[in-house]
Amino acid sequence: MSPRNLPYFLSGLVVRGFGRGSKALGIPTANLEDKVVNGLPDDFDTGIYYGWASLNGETYKMVASIGWNPFYKNEKKTVEIHVLHTFENDFYGKEIQAIFTGFVRPEKDFTSEAELIKAIKSDIAFAEEHLIQPDMLAYKNKFLTG
């Protein structure tokens, strides 16, 4: 699936990931269960996406990584959602719904963790800027109303 085929909706349970998002990077992610990853269309491009995530009845801006995380040399594909909200508790085992409304960039490797963190922060800023646009807010409103 190419970015021009967006929006794309998915939902699944949040599971424990590698523990790098919060601990190593300071950017917590909600890792989705394998059946969600395995259910992605074969032509869904890996990379960084943005959109909206719904958890516990609330909808938040999000940015997500879909792919192999080349910096960490993952052996399996993952879907990791960074919700642009600070939560007091983890939400393992909870269902998260997400609508991917835009594409930021393809996944790539980095030479250092600092370079990776800088790129993620840039991805977040990109998402923040684009999600306030009327066409993106319309997705949020539709997401909220079903």
Side-chain angles (χ1 to χ4, degrees), residues 23-143:
K23 294 177 183 74
L25 303 175
I27 303 165
T29 59
N31 294 270
L32 298 185
E33 59 191 326
D34 288 343
K35 75 177 189 177
V36 173
V37 179
N38 297 337
L40 291 171
D42 291 337
D43 61 346
F44 200 100
D45 292 339
T46 60
I48 310 305
Y49 292 82
Y50 63 89
W52 302 97
S54 181
L55 182 71
N56 296 328
E58 297 290 330
T59 300
Y60 307 95
K61 295 175 184 173
M62 67 87 177
V63 74
S65 169
I66 297 178
W68 304 94
N69 298 314
F71 180 75
Y72 290 108
K73 313 289 188 258
N74 284 7
E75 293 184 13
K76 69 176 191 171
K77 188 188 289 188
T78 60
V79 174
E80 300 179 47
I81 296 174
H82 173 63
V83 180
L84 304 184
H85 178 80
T86 301
F87 294 91
E88 290 187 27
N89 299 304
D90 292 329
F91 39 87
Y92 298 118
K94 301 275 188 187
E95 183 176 2
I96 191 168
Q97 298 175 326
I99 184 168
F100 295 79
T101 58
F103 185 75
V104 180
R105 62 174 173 82
E107 68 177 342
K108 64 178 190 172
D109 200 355
F110 297 93
T111 58
S112 70
E113 201 169 77
E115 184 184 18
L116 172 59
I117 291 168
K118 182 178 178 182
I120 293 170
K121 288 183 177 181
S122 176
D123 299 338
I124 291 168
F126 183 94
E128 288 272 16
E129 179 181 325
H130 285 79
L131 286 168
I132 61 172
Q133 301 301 316
D135 58 332
M136 293 295 129
L137 288 170
Y139 284 116
K140 178 186 180 188
N141 295 333
K142 186 174 182 179
F143 196 47

